[in-house]
Amino acid sequence: MDARQEQALDLVLEVTTLLADDMRRAFERDGLTPARAHLLWLLQQHGPTSQRELADALRVTPRTVTGLVDGLESSGLVARRPHPTDRRSTLVTFTDAGARIADEMATGKAQLAEGLFGDLPAQRLAGLVAGLADVRDRLARLVAEDLAGRGSVAP
């Protein structure tokens, strides 16, 4: 392995760990797990959503989403409402408290982006974005290939 490639991987892994730790602490403050926070993030992006659509977006089983929604509902962050056109389906939507937490998450994301990238020159930021997109795409391909084979990209 080229030393620069190894250094790049080490940096990506370190950044991933730092971000995961920071998110975990932020989620714990709001009594959330990463999975529950991800569900709230999806609701903020897409608005009221069926549990089936949430399961698909989260890449989990409908039963798993039921558990996540049950937990968020008991915490007062989401509610189930009747679907306006499909009597067999319900929509998961924010309560006022859930909308407030989701707004705080969005504000935190914007503040972190500004803190990390706000003073980078435009050309350097564009290069970083392009490079990270390439890495993401390559990793997605490797994961897909390994899932078809042995199940993990890790050695």
Side-chain angles (χ1 to χ4, degrees):
M1 175 186 315
D2 179 290
R4 289 180 308 156
Q5 293 171 343
E6 191 170 344
Q7 181 185 20
L9 180 58
D10 287 344
L11 287 168
V12 167
L13 294 173
E14 188 175 349
V15 167
T16 301
T17 299
L18 289 167
L19 285 171
D21 288 346
D22 183 60
M23 285 190 311
R24 180 188 44 77
R25 283 190 304 276
F27 297 157
E28 286 175 355
R29 275 194 313 264
D30 292 323
L32 297 172
T33 64
R36 288 180 182 180
H38 192 182
L39 192 148
L40 292 178
W41 191 254
L42 288 171
L43 284 180
Q44 181 163 53
Q45 291 175 321
H46 302 289
T49 307
S50 74
Q51 288 189 196
R52 165 48 81 188
E53 292 169 321
L54 289 169
D56 291 345
L58 292 168
R59 298 182 192 151
V60 299
T61 65
R63 176 69 193 121
T64 299
V65 165
T66 297
L68 292 171
V69 172
D70 287 348
L72 289 166
E73 191 172 42
S74 69
S75 298
L77 301 179
V78 301
R80 290 176 170 100
R81 302 282 185 244
H83 193 288
T85 59
D86 182 355
R87 292 184 340 182
R88 298 168 295 152
S89 182
T90 60
L91 295 177
V92 180
T93 186
F94 283 124
T95 62
D96 290 342
R100 182 181 42 73
I101 286 178
D103 287 346
E104 289 170 3
M105 288 169 49
T107 298
K109 178 184 175 187
Q111 290 171 341
L112 180 59
E114 177 63 29
L116 292 175
F117 310 118
D119 62 351
L120 282 181
Q123 186 174 1
R124 191 157 185 185
L125 181 57
L128 176 63
V129 170
L132 288 174
D134 288 344
V135 168
R136 180 209 52 219
D137 294 345
R138 288 175 185 222
L139 181 57
R141 275 194 307 277
L142 288 172
V143 168
E145 290 169 7
D146 267 10
L147 286 175
R150 62 187 168 99
S152 172
V153 294

